[in-house]
Every structure is written in C-alpha cells, then in structure tokens.
Amino acid sequence: MKRIITTTAVVVLMAVAALAQSASLNVSQAFARYGKARDCTEIMVTGKKARSIGLDRYHSLEAPAAYAAAIAAMVTRDGAMATDRETEYRGGQLYFGFYKLRRAAGVNRYVFYLNQSLARTRKADRVTLIYMDGPASKEQVRKLISQ
C-alpha cells in the first residue's frame, strides 16, 4: 500500500512539474489572453488522442493578425532560450518560427508560429501559434505541422 501511495505521489508531482514548466513560458500568456476571445480559435488535445501522434499535449491558437505583434514578442522571448530554431522575418516582422525548447521533466517541447498576413501568396489575416510537448522528435513534429 505504501508503495502505491509513493508511486502515485511521484506521478502527480511529475505531472504538476510539467504543467508548471509550460505555464512558465511566455506563450502561455497568449493562450490565456486570446484563447477565449470571440475572434480566436483555441484547440487543446491531450490524452490518448495526443499520444497517438507522439505528443502529450497539443495546444493551438489561431488569432487575427492584429494580435501578431504581441504574440510574436512572446514567441521571440521563449525562442531566445530555444536549443534549436528556424525563423524567417519579412518586413522586420516575425513571419515564421519553429523552436525546440529545452526539455522539461524529460519531455520535448516545441513552439510554432506563423503570421499568415505576411505570406507572399494566399495571404490571410490570421496568426497561428502552436505549443506541443511529448516524446515526438523534431522531425515528427515538423511532419505534423506540415499536414
């Protein structure tokens, strides 16, 4: 019985630590601030469905380009601490960013950002922000995003 309680406590602590780590990211402010706004779309996938694609959590936000500067600033602050990054700027603004963040609680973490209003073709008045964590490799995450 003591072993079950100890194991349960350890699992709960690890889950809380992982959640706290993602909450400490600047992009978590974007989800909190814009996720429930009328003109935004927020999607959160966890559990079995997320695990089926190699993730523990998939959290996306699609917002009007009017929020691009604020969201890009949050992404850039988190991206400054990334272990791997791919970025593209257009007209001095962040157009695309794909960041692999430091692992937290043994979990890979990724942030993806796209400002579709800066696209050369098929422009849209939208900004996309995606946070993902889980065992998926960078290549697996890239494949998911490109679908």
Side-chain angles (χ1 to χ4, degrees):
M1 183 68 165
K2 186 175 181 181
R3 180 182 241 175
I4 293 171
I5 293 171
T6 303
T7 303
T8 303
V10 168
V11 169
V12 168
L13 285 174
M14 287 175 54
V16 169
L19 186 59
Q21 188 70 16
S22 69
S24 68
L25 293 173
N26 290 288
V27 294
S28 65
Q29 296 172 21
F31 293 110
R33 186 177 302 162
Y34 305 117
K36 305 297 183 237
R38 259 174 69 150
D39 49 358
C40 298
T41 303
E42 180 180 29
I43 298 171
M44 172 81 89
V45 180
T46 59
K48 188 185 284 186
K49 194 166 191 172
R51 284 191 297 280
S52 73
I53 57 173
L55 298 173
D56 295 329
R57 181 178 354 178
Y58 172 94
H59 197 176
S60 71
L61 174 69
E62 190 170 296
Y67 303 138
I71 295 172
M74 295 173 204
V75 169
T76 303
R77 284 194 299 273
D78 288 334
M81 295 178 282
T83 59
D84 191 10
R85 70 182 58 81
E86 298 172 37
T87 58
E88 183 178 339
Y89 287 82
R90 293 188 181 167
Q93 297 177 56
L94 182 62
Y95 164 64
F96 165 84
F98 180 53
Y99 305 91
K100 181 176 183 193
L101 305 175
R102 290 190 181 110
R103 291 171 57 96
V107 175
N108 295 324
R109 302 180 306 153
Y110 304 92
V111 172
F112 172 81
Y113 171 86
L114 179 65
N115 183 343
Q116 297 170 49
S117 71
L118 300 176
R120 291 192 175 107
T121 60
R122 300 181 70 199
K123 289 186 178 193
D125 183 40
R126 306 301 286 171
V127 172
T128 302
L129 171 65
I130 304 172
Y131 170 81
M132 296 157 281
D133 65 34
S137 69
K138 180 180 172 185
E139 293 74 29
Q140 290 171 305
V141 169
R142 273 186 139 318
K143 190 174 178 181
L144 283 170
I145 291 171
S146 67
Q147 292 178 351

